[in-house]
Amino acid sequence: MNSKLAKRTTAAISLGMAACGAYAAGPNIIVMFADDLGYGDVTALNPDSKIPTPHLDRLAAEGVIFTDAHATSSLSTPSRYSLLTGRYNWRSTLKHSVLGGYSPPLIEADRTTLPGMLRGQGYTTACIGKWHLGWNWNNIAEGQKAIDYSKPITDGPTTRGFDYYYGIAASLDMAPYIYVENDRATMVPQRIEPDYNDGVVFWREGPISDDFDHGLVFENLTNRVCDYIAASTGSDRPFFLYYPMTAPHTPVMPSAEFLGKSGLNLYGDFVMMLDHEVGRILQAVDDAGIYENTIVIFTSDNGCAPYIEPEELIAKGHYPSGIYRGYKSDIYDGGHRVPFILRWPEKAVPHTVDQTVSLSDLMATFAAVTGYTIRDNEAEDSFDLSRVIYDPPYREPVRGATIHSSSDGSFAIRKGPWKLITVAHSGGWGYPTKNETEGLPPIQLYNMQDDPGETRNLYLEYPQVIEELYSDLTDYVRNGRSTPGAPQSNDGRQWWPQLNWIEKE
């Protein structure tokens, strides 16, 4: 193990112990968050997958498989916001799209986050990987060229509940290309990396440091994750480790070991590498002797991206969205239905959960696991999944209804088998776009049980279902929450044109 990293990690753990006082008795928690992995890319979820994923399949065989799990958005930044806050992303000031590498922080300074909650319960907390939720660079107000990278960032991960952070500001194709540890760049960039575009190997122009190599970032981050797990086992405290991966997002750069191995394309090779990196982390858990009482979660921030040439995969028999329609950015299920596997050998018997759940539910679930009582102004859209984890026969729906959002901020609401899409288009980059709706119905209603591919719009046949779903959506928006509790405020209402239909009532 890297001795310098071990010392820094041990120091971070000690700092967390001193700050929190009493030790927690809860399980260790590891959340692996893939970037743009499709539901159909994991063999355990899609037996017809042409990409071998033996390590994810092992995790699934030993854990709980959620077959109807959804990111709150079909894009990266908003999904991360919801996972870490338990709040729908569209309640924040970001109503559509994503942040960039120079964006200010999205998570409010006074908002309780998942790591902050767990730290209050006695956990040490770490984030290693892609942040993509904004922070403040030095001199950002004067423009990117004025940034002094030798000075600390502010309002970063260590101010949002994490004791330790190591990673990159945003996606791997977004500048600046530097590592940040806690609140400082590990090396000041001395040159500008030009635009590069070779299909799925793509990044934008920007500053790059000498210790940064796009093709080595994913492996480097996994090394740090494994080192953190090893260093944390000497502590009396449980840890929460959040690993937002950089793969299989662009630039799609599998290591030489995996080039050509899938027989599909670079994306298939990269997913194989991702599975391998998951295996390394599972091995680190085994080697640390913490297998039984460690919750390991694997999921993704949204569906497979259309720019990785899915048509080439489909021509060879691999469907990255499985049986579902659409891809990243879309309001259709292929945009936001994601792999979601949870393993907890000490408490969870391997089984499958078929009911609809959201990644925003992690906060309420871990609150229940660790004995934390959520307040009215916390985790407003998070539901406790522990009942379906502990007790496989439990069949009552955990959630009332679930809201999905697309890249342009369009809404869908899911309740039981019914899914109402409040627009005529995909809400994203897929067909039909906003400019391709001539002659189409103004809204879409699908029965996901009978028609999971969203091929038959039933909006004329079930007006009472539409009325009920619109009523639920309106209540959830106006109340500032979808969970029981006192009404809360949404942020940035003036930037919310997609909800004009509510204002007109």
Side-chain angles (χ1 to χ4, degrees):
M1 182 174 65
N2 183 305
S3 60
K4 291 184 179 178
L5 174 63
K7 290 178 181 178
R8 288 194 296 265
T9 304
T10 302
I13 294 170
S14 301
L15 178 61
M17 292 172 61
C20 297
Y23 297 158
N28 302 306
I29 301 168
I30 300 171
V31 175
M32 292 182 275
F33 203 30
D35 196 1
D36 291 4
L37 184 73
Y39 183 91
D41 289 328
V42 180
T43 306
L45 300 174
N46 176 21
D48 295 326
S49 171
K50 302 300 182 183
I51 303 175
T53 54
H55 301 291
L56 286 170
D57 296 346
R58 172 204 165 186
L59 188 68
E62 297 174 352
V64 182
I65 302 172
F66 292 84
T67 62
D68 196 1
H70 299 261
T72 61
S73 169
S74 54
L75 286 183
S76 175
T77 295
S79 296
R80 292 159 202 276
Y81 177 90
S82 295
L83 186 148
L84 291 178
T85 65
R87 186 187 193 217
Y88 281 131
N89 52 274
W90 42 266
R91 298 196 193 281
S92 76
T93 56
L94 186 70
K95 304 305 183 186
H96 61 85
S97 194
V98 299
L99 300 184
Y102 298 99
S103 299
L106 180 62
I107 298 177
E108 306 84 349
D110 59 350
R111 176 156 291 278
T112 302
T113 62
L114 172 56
M117 177 192 76
L118 291 173
R119 186 163 64 179
Q121 294 299 92
Y123 278 69
T124 59
T125 59
C127 173
I128 298 174
K130 167 185 167 178
W131 182 238
H132 211 183
L133 285 164
W135 59 50
N136 288 316
W137 297 96
N138 176 266
N139 288 340
I140 187 66
E142 299 176 28
Q144 297 173 11
K145 293 182 179 179
I147 294 174
D148 184 347
Y149 292 100
S150 70
K151 294 185 177 179
I153 65 167
T154 58
D155 290 305
T158 57
T159 70
R160 298 300 189 266
F162 289 106
D163 296 319
Y164 177 77
Y165 173 71
Y166 178 91
I168 62 176
S171 297
L172 193 50
D173 57 12
M174 293 179 174
Y177 305 115
I178 62 174
Y179 292 112
V180 170
E181 186 167 27
N182 292 323
D183 63 352
R184 288 184 179 271
T186 60
M187 185 176 288
V188 174
Q190 299 294 330
R191 61 186 177 90
I192 299 296
E193 180 78 354
D195 279 333
Y196 186 86
N197 191 346
D198 185 15
V200 295
V201 184
F202 161 86
W203 58 76
R204 300 164 179 86
E205 178 183 286
I208 188 169
S209 59
D210 288 343
D211 63 347
F212 196 99
D213 183 321
H214 285 83
L216 300 178
V217 169
F218 187 23
E219 184 177 3
N220 176 37
L221 294 174
T222 303
N223 290 342
R224 300 268 175 164
V225 167
C226 293
D227 285 346
Y228 185 90
I229 292 170
S232 298
T233 56
S235 171
D236 294 329
R237 304 274 304 289
F239 65 84
F240 170 63
L241 174 56
Y242 169 55
Y243 180 20
M245 298 173 164
T246 55
H249 192 288
T250 52
V252 180
M253 300 178 71
S255 62
E257 178 183 355
F258 296 96
L259 281 175
K261 289 296 178 65
S262 71
L264 298 171
N265 62 7
L266 279 177
Y267 177 80
D269 300 342
F270 210 18
V271 173
M272 288 186 66
M273 180 180 175
L274 180 149
D275 180 76
H276 174 77
E277 299 301 283
V278 170
R280 292 178 58 206
I281 294 168
L282 297 181
Q283 187 62 52
V285 171
D286 292 346
D287 292 345
I290 56 174
Y291 171 86
E292 289 292 331
N293 197 31
T294 296
I295 296 176
V296 176
I297 287 176
F298 178 87
T299 187
S300 179
D301 61 349
N302 46 249
C304 172
Y307 42 70
I308 55 86
E309 302 168 351
E311 296 81 9
E312 186 177 64
L313 295 169
I314 291 170
K316 296 180 180 180
H318 179 75
Y319 293 79
S321 294
I323 62 173
Y324 302 103
R325 178 180 179 180
Y327 299 102
K328 173 182 178 177
S329 82
D330 295 337
I331 198 64
Y332 303 118
D333 263 35
H336 48 78
R337 186 184 290 245
V338 292
F340 184 19
I341 303 166
L342 181 151
R343 186 185 75 181
W344 189 7
E346 187 172 277
K347 296 286 181 71
V349 176
H351 63 282
T352 298
V353 175
D354 294 325
Q355 60 175 279
T356 309
V357 301
S358 170
L359 298 190
S360 65
D361 295 333
L362 292 188
M363 191 160 172
T365 302
F366 292 146
V369 166
T370 61
Y372 180 81
T373 300
I374 292 176
R375 296 174 292 188
D376 278 340
N377 63 344
E378 298 172 335
E380 293 93 335
D381 303 295
S382 188
F383 290 81
D384 174 18
L385 302 181
S386 64
R387 290 175 294 174
V388 296
I389 294 170
Y390 294 140
D391 187 9
Y394 186 86
R395 290 292 180 262
E396 291 299 314
V398 173
R399 307 182 119 258
T402 301
I403 299 177
H404 314 308
S405 61
S406 69
S407 63
D408 73 354
S410 295
F411 284 93
I413 181 167
R414 172 80 182 279
K415 189 175 186 179
W418 294 107
K419 178 179 176 181
L420 172 68
I421 299 174
T422 63
V423 293
H425 48 84
S426 70
W429 310 323
Y431 176 83
T433 65
K434 281 184 178 180
N435 299 322
E436 298 173 311
T437 59
E438 185 176 354
L440 295 178
I443 59 174
Q444 304 172 65
L445 179 70
Y446 300 104
N447 186 314
M448 299 301 295
Q449 181 174 303
D450 299 337
D451 179 27
E454 298 173 83
T455 63
R456 299 186 299 276
N457 187 354
L458 305 175
Y459 83 108
L460 289 177
E461 299 178 39
Y462 296 93
Q464 72 281 7
V465 173
I466 292 174
E467 182 179 356
E468 179 182 344
L469 292 175
Y470 262 121
S471 177
D472 287 341
L473 177 55
T474 302
D475 288 345
Y476 287 177
V477 172
R478 286 179 171 168
N479 292 336
R481 67 182 319 119
S482 55
T483 55
Q488 300 296 309
S489 298
N490 299 307
D491 306 321
R493 185 91 184 187
Q494 66 271 28
W495 300 308
W496 218 348
Q498 63 266 41
L499 285 182
N500 285 342
W501 54 270
I502 287 183
E503 299 291 353
K504 292 176 182 177
E505 290 187 359

